[in-house]
Amino acid sequence: MCSIQEGELLQPKRQPSSSLRDRKCMKCSNEETVVIIRINDAFCKDCFLQYCTHKFRSAFGKSRLIRDKEQVLVAHSGGPASCAMLHLIQEGTSRRAHKKLRFSSVLVFIDDGVFHGLTLVERKARNAQVLKQLISSGLDVHAYAIEQVMSTTSSASLGLPVQAVSADSFEILCSFDSECKQLEALLAATTSDTSRQSLQHVLRQRLLIQVANGMGINKVLLGNSTTSLAVQMMSNVAQGRGAHLLYDMSFADLRSTSVTFVRPMREFTTHEIEHYLLLNQLGTIDVISTGPKGLEGLTSDFVLGLQADFPNTVSTIMRTGEKIGVSHSEIDIDLCCSLCQAPLDTDVGPSSALAATQFSEVVSRGNRQSSRCSSEATECCGQGDGSCQSSTRCELPDLRRSLCYGCRLMCKDLKDTSLLPASVQSNALQVKNRAEMRASIQNFLIEDDDAK
């Protein structure tokens, strides 16, 4: 029984501060401590760097996901986790490495400054810094603009045009004026900061898939740390994406049928990453958004605030997410979201909470729709439930049926879903055609039980 009386507050128990000079390394017991992790584990510089290197390489060894001499795509954003991952890959593939990483890497940088409200001059300046850092690594580097996700080029052929970056040019070629205008129109039509952040993640993931398909690569390394994944988990649950926690938090994200997203920095906290960069004297280039934070930014402040007082907060969130994740052994392409490509979670019964929510929306909007929606209207009513009769449709019913619950909530904040990438509309139409074809031949299909 709880012993806390009404009105009493449970104050966090802060760990007693101890000077690093008074501690000895817990591993070698000889060198002076430079960092303390896991609340009370002290490491010297050499032992801490060995600890990080071993944790990074063991992530690949345990999974056995990447084969020898396989080519992988490394997504680099210029942030701390990406810089630490790039340095660990360089150390793991160098000649002096004791146990080498046996895959080859191709670096990919995506300029998404449009989401952060950066001007063209500011985007070019940041691109120059990031690409200069990547080129100094000696690896093959390719750069893209996020606007290219709006392109109609099929990823099944050659993918999007690869722009190799030379040492003489540190700018991404801005030759996608039409795609840029389409993306700006899409962002302007998004009425929620939370949905705009979610849209940024989805479009970045789609572009990485298109780039990987164009290069013939089926593994993409991401720099998600355990802290960022914990924040993402809390934010996604609040946005109706709880059914996809297994994909969002696992070491290998298998939601795409053609590309596997791998998170080798999954076991690293931001505290460990910061000290790794500091001890190796590595710089970072990050985007500072001055606009509203949205739900993800607020969740980050909340989780990091708890982590400061309760050091086990992030690890507890991660362990909880791993327990409640739902496993999907086989993925049917016809039953995947046309936007985020995760398995659909909307195939529920008529007595479900989702069905009740949709019924309440239709009933509550009925009176307004009868007065605003007509065949003579020239502007959309903005309801997004498929009943609008105006010439500008706010939401295509076929698209709505092909979206997961989280993407449906995100698209509610879009004034016009026709602004979404053409590939999304094409996927929705393909799913509709396959469903209609399957329904037309359903009576002629032989079931397994009948065959026996």
Side-chain angles (χ1 to χ4, degrees), residues 17-122:
S17 59
S18 59
S19 175
L20 294 178
R21 298 180 180 178
D22 300 332
R23 302 288 300 274
K24 290 296 182 181
C25 176
M26 61 173 292
K27 187 174 182 180
C28 66
S29 302
N30 294 324
E31 298 295 332
E32 182 179 348
T33 296
V34 296
V35 59
I36 296 178
I37 62 174
R38 298 201 207 97
I39 303 178
N40 204 31
D41 294 345
F43 284 93
C44 65
K45 178 180 179 180
D46 293 337
C47 292
F48 175 72
L49 294 179
Q50 291 177 7
Y51 160 80
C52 293
T53 302
H54 173 74
K55 183 158 61 171
F56 182 76
R57 296 179 184 177
S58 63
F60 294 102
K62 292 178 182 178
S63 64
R64 296 182 179 180
L65 190 65
I66 300 178
R67 301 185 301 272
D68 290 349
K69 300 181 180 180
E70 184 177 4
Q71 193 175 46
V72 300
L73 208 63
V74 181
H76 192 283
S77 64
S82 296
C83 293
M85 179 175 65
L86 175 58
H87 188 266
L88 286 167
I89 292 175
Q90 289 179 281
E91 291 295 313
T93 55
S94 63
R95 293 182 178 180
R96 61 179 178 272
H98 177 60
K99 293 183 179 180
K100 292 185 178 181
L101 298 174
R102 299 186 179 276
F103 56 82
S104 59
S105 304
V106 177
L107 300 182
V108 170
F109 168 68
I110 296 179
D111 171 27
D112 57 355
V114 63
F115 281 99
H116 302 279
L118 300 182
T119 64
L120 183 59
V121 175
E122 293 173 337

Side-chain angles (χ1 to χ4, degrees), residues 11 18 34 41 99 108 144 153 155 165 191 193 240-241 259 285-286 297 306 311-312 314 353 362 412 440:
Q11 297 295 334
S18 59
V34 296
D41 294 345
K99 293 183 179 180
V108 170
Y144 292 86
T153 305
S155 60
V165 182
T191 60
D193 296 314
R241 300 184 184 273
V259 175
I285 301 99
D286 211 349
L306 285 179
N312 290 326
V314 170
V362 173
K412 276 188 176 182
S440 63

Side-chain angles (χ1 to χ4, degrees), residues 135-417:
I135 292 174
S136 64
S137 66
L139 300 175
D140 188 16
V141 181
H142 297 277
Y144 292 86
I146 191 63
E147 289 89 341
Q148 291 180 255
V149 75
M150 309 298 292
S151 174
T152 57
T153 305
S154 174
S155 60
S157 54
L158 296 178
L160 297 177
V162 177
Q163 296 174 355
V165 182
S166 64
D168 298 329
S169 176
F170 298 131
E171 297 181 0
I172 294 180
L173 301 179
C174 300
S175 58
F176 304 95
D177 294 337
S178 60
E179 289 83 355
C180 183
K181 293 179 182 179
Q182 294 176 19
L183 183 57
E184 290 177 349
L186 176 61
L187 296 180
T190 307
T191 60
S192 168
D193 296 314
T194 299
S195 296
R196 192 176 292 109
Q197 289 179 345
S198 181
L199 184 64
Q200 177 185 1
H201 293 313
V202 172
L203 295 184
R204 178 181 173 85
Q205 177 177 282
R206 292 185 66 89
L207 182 56
L208 286 173
I209 293 176
Q210 290 177 314
V211 171
N213 289 335
M215 295 183 182
I217 299 175
N218 56 15
K219 301 291 191 312
V220 178
L221 304 189
L222 303 177
N224 299 115
S225 65
T226 183
T227 306
S228 65
L229 289 176
V231 172
Q232 183 179 351
M233 170 195 162
M234 299 288 289
S235 177
N236 285 351
V237 169
Q239 297 179 63
R241 300 184 184 273
H244 303 146
L245 288 183
L246 180 65
Y247 300 101
D248 296 330
M249 301 181 61
S250 60
F251 175 77
D253 187 343
L254 303 174
R255 77 181 70 194
S256 174
T257 57
S258 60
V259 175
T260 300
F261 289 99
V262 184
R263 303 183 178 99
M265 303 296 293
R266 182 179 179 273
E267 301 297 330
F268 288 80
T269 64
T270 54
H271 178 69
E272 295 171 344
I273 292 174
E274 290 172 357
H275 280 85
Y276 182 86
L277 296 174
L278 180 63
L279 294 177
N280 286 285
Q281 299 180 352
L282 301 175
T284 62
I285 301 99
D286 211 349
V287 171
I288 301 177
S289 178
T290 58
K293 294 184 177 181
L295 182 59
E296 184 176 350
L298 297 175
T299 304
S300 178
D301 293 342
F302 172 72
V303 173
L304 295 180
L306 285 179
Q307 178 70 14
D309 293 329
F310 300 94
N312 290 326
T313 298
V314 170
S315 59
T316 301
I317 294 175
M318 291 292 292
R319 289 196 301 268
T320 304
E322 292 172 351
K323 293 179 181 178
I324 63 178
V326 181
S327 177
H328 300 276
S329 56
E330 296 183 0
I331 300 179
D332 188 351
I333 189 174
D334 292 339
L335 299 177
C336 291
C337 178
S338 297
L339 194 54
C340 70
Q341 298 189 347
L344 291 178
D345 54 354
T346 55
D347 186 13
V348 293
S351 300
S352 64
L354 175 60
T357 301
Q358 293 175 343
F359 178 77
S360 300
E361 290 177 356
V362 173
V363 173
S364 62
R365 294 172 177 174
N367 294 333
R368 287 185 294 170
Q369 290 171 358
S370 61
S371 60
R372 297 182 60 183
C373 288
S374 64
S375 58
E376 299 178 355
T378 58
E379 294 184 358
C380 176
C381 65
Q383 302 304 325
D385 60 354
S387 62
C388 179
Q389 301 297 322
S390 62
S391 58
T392 305
R393 298 297 299 275
C394 55
E395 172 127 8
L396 299 176
D398 298 333
L399 176 61
R400 181 180 176 86
R401 285 193 292 266
S402 68
L403 298 179
C404 66
Y405 181 65
C407 288
R408 287 187 183 185
L409 293 181
M410 181 182 68
C411 288
K412 276 188 176 182
D413 294 328
L414 296 181
K415 296 180 179 179
D416 186 2
T417 56

